[in-house]
Amino acid sequence: MKQSILDKLIHLQERLEEINLLLADEQSAADMNQYRALTKEHAEISPIVAVFSQYHQAQQDLKDAEDLLSDPEMKAFAQEEIDNSNNKINQLENELQLLLLPKDEDDNKNVFLEVRAGTGGDEAALFAGDLLRMYLRYAERHGWKSEIVSANESDLGGYKEAIVRIAGDNIYGRLKFESGGHRVQRVPTTESQGRIHTSACTVAIMPEADELAEIELNPNDLRIDTFRASGAGGQHINKTDSAVRITHLPTGMVVECQDGRSQHANKAQAMKVLAARLNDKQKREAHAKESAERKSLIGSGDRSERIRTYNFPQGRVSDHRINLTLYKIDSIMDGDLDEIINALLTEHQAELLAQFGE
């Protein structure tokens, strides 16, 4: 193990001892903000120090086994223990490096999922509907809760645009690499001559801003319009101007929400979506700046970037960022995304480890 990594682990070990002493002091609870910060830090450091202790023990076991090599009667046993200890040390070294990788503070947040039809007209809108169903089924498989915030349906039953809020554990951490351009190749239901068409949609996964705290929304920067909702949603929805459109004047961003039962509910939900969009914009700009010299293996995060192709005639789904092709399109479209998502996360982890090694 590199000395720089060892130094960091030793520092964390010492820091944990310091935190334990601070938490044991009855005065620590006097300042609840500081107490919460200490308990959070304790929870983050403890698992790393526990594995580091196992690493120390494995090294000691190796040394003890090596000391037995000089005894002819114990040589075979000692060699077996040496092999086991070396394997464990390698395993624990890898585990410690993964534990030391920087954490994305957004990983545990709820998300807003946006799906928009791109090039391809009605077929793109139908594919947007298929993508939306795919993510909703994936959320269902993981026990996450989802609610449609806004939906602009197309004439043939797909969506020109749909926004869904998904709540649960580690959602952004699982879905964050889904942002980008998704391309479909198939014979549309409207195609009479059986020709394959190519259409596209964009997907955006945005972490929900913490009670708008991360984004300051100046009321002077907002134009709020109300209008009568259209489309499905119950008869009551068309009797009052309950739908809300918020325009963020500095950026030109527009958010509409009409699925709630009241103007107040729609306004609150639209404000959350706007905050998430602005927060996402800030972070993508910061990420683009950081990645100017080194592009991430999992893509730049630019939504115009084509990340995946769904080829129905061949039954395959290809993720272009990691050269992964799976011939299981039906199960993937039914929400079986774990194989793709796990591969993306593994690739991302490998790049972080490479940077960590540098």
Side-chain angles (χ1 to χ4, degrees):
M1 187 182 291
K2 289 186 177 180
Q3 189 59 45
S4 58
I5 297 175
L6 273 174
D7 290 343
K8 186 162 190 175
L9 289 164
I10 291 166
H11 169 72
L12 290 176
Q13 197 172 38
E14 292 170 349
R15 176 59 182 161
L16 186 62
E17 292 174 5
E18 185 182 352
I19 292 171
N20 284 333
L21 289 173
L22 289 169
L23 289 174
D25 186 346
E26 58 186 27
Q27 295 298 318
S28 65
D31 184 343
M32 286 309 295
N33 286 333
Q34 184 185 13
Y35 183 77
R36 277 192 290 268
L38 286 171
T39 53
K40 182 184 176 186
E41 190 179 357
H42 187 280
E44 289 170 353
I45 294 175
S46 292
I48 303 173
V49 174
V51 176
F52 191 38
S53 296
Q54 293 176 41
Y55 176 79
H56 276 310
Q57 185 59 55
Q59 285 189 315
Q60 185 60 50
D61 292 343
L62 176 63
K63 185 178 180 301
D64 293 342
E66 287 172 342
D67 291 342
L68 292 173
L69 277 176
S70 56
D71 185 341
E73 294 182 4
M74 300 294 289
K75 189 171 183 179
F77 170 77
Q79 190 57 56
E80 186 180 344
E81 286 297 299
I82 287 170
D83 292 342
N84 289 339
S85 295
N86 278 324
N87 287 336
K88 188 159 189 180
I89 285 169
N90 288 334
Q91 174 195 328
L92 291 169
E93 278 188 7
N94 290 333
E95 193 174 340
L96 284 166
Q97 287 188 64
L98 291 175
L99 286 168
L100 287 173
L101 290 178
K103 304 290 188 296
D104 187 335
E105 61 185 21
D106 290 333
D107 277 354
N108 285 318
K109 290 185 178 176
N110 300 328
V111 304
F112 285 105
L113 158 70
E114 290 189 359
V115 181
R116 282 195 182 86
T119 54
D122 287 333
E123 169 61 11
L126 287 170
F127 180 53
D130 293 338
L131 285 177
L132 182 63
R133 179 185 179 276
M134 178 183 78
Y135 289 119
L136 290 176
R137 289 285 291 116
Y138 184 70
E140 190 180 313
R141 285 167 181 254
H142 283 262
W144 299 336
K145 293 180 180 177
S146 55
E147 59 174 321
I148 294 179
V149 173
S150 177
N152 183 0
E153 296 182 20
S154 70
D155 295 334
L156 294 181
Y159 291 98
K160 295 176 183 175
E161 174 189 287
I163 303 173
V164 177
R165 180 179 181 268
I166 306 176
D169 295 327
N170 196 36
I171 296 179
Y172 185 71
R174 295 292 297 170
L175 293 180
K176 59 186 174 183
F177 299 132
E178 292 301 296
S179 291
H182 294 242
R183 184 177 67 170
V184 64
Q185 294 171 325
R186 65 183 176 188
V187 179
T189 54
T190 54
E191 170 59 58
S192 58
Q193 298 181 32
R195 291 174 299 188
I196 295 172
H197 287 227
T198 298
S199 305
C201 293
T202 57
V203 170
I205 305 291
M206 303 173 298
E208 187 175 38
D210 292 335
E211 297 298 323
L212 308 184
E214 296 176 28
I215 295 291
E216 290 186 16
L217 292 172
N218 185 340
N220 295 328
D221 290 341
L222 306 177
R223 186 176 74 235
I224 300 175
D225 301 306
T226 58
F227 59 99
R228 191 158 296 182
S230 60
Q235 292 303 310
H236 74 280
I237 204 167
N238 295 317
K239 295 178 182 176
T240 60
D241 290 349
S242 60
V244 173
R245 180 187 299 114
I246 300 179
T247 305
H248 186 248
L249 300 174
T251 61
M253 281 187 186
V254 179
V255 178
E256 289 185 5
C257 190
Q258 60 179 17
D259 280 37
R261 296 183 67 88
S262 71
Q263 188 182 113
H264 177 75
N266 282 326
K267 181 182 175 184
Q269 195 70 280
M271 290 286 277
K272 284 185 178 181
V273 174
L274 178 60
R277 279 190 188 171
L278 289 168
N279 192 38
D280 178 60
K281 181 175 181 289
Q282 283 185 4
K283 289 183 176 176
R284 281 190 293 114
E285 287 172 351
H287 176 72
K289 188 176 179 182
E290 290 168 9
S291 301
E293 297 179 4
R294 181 180 190 140
K295 187 179 178 183
S296 171
L297 287 171
I298 49 79
S300 65
D302 185 345
R303 286 173 211 157
S304 64
E305 179 186 16
R306 190 188 74 204
I307 63 168
R308 194 174 297 150
T309 295
Y310 304 74
N311 186 303
F312 279 80
Q314 296 179 14
R316 67 172 170 83
V317 175
S318 300
D319 196 290
H320 308 294
R321 296 163 294 179
I322 54 175
N323 295 320
L324 174 70
T325 295
L326 300 173
Y327 288 89
K328 46 186 283 188
I329 196 165
D330 289 340
S331 62
I332 287 170
M333 296 309 294
D334 194 42
D336 183 12
L337 286 167
D338 276 332
E339 190 171 352
I340 295 177
I341 287 173
N342 289 339
L344 287 164
L345 291 173
T346 299
E347 197 77 28
H348 178 57
Q349 211 169 58
E351 178 171 270
L352 287 178
L353 281 170
Q355 293 179 23
F356 189 66
E358 292 170 8

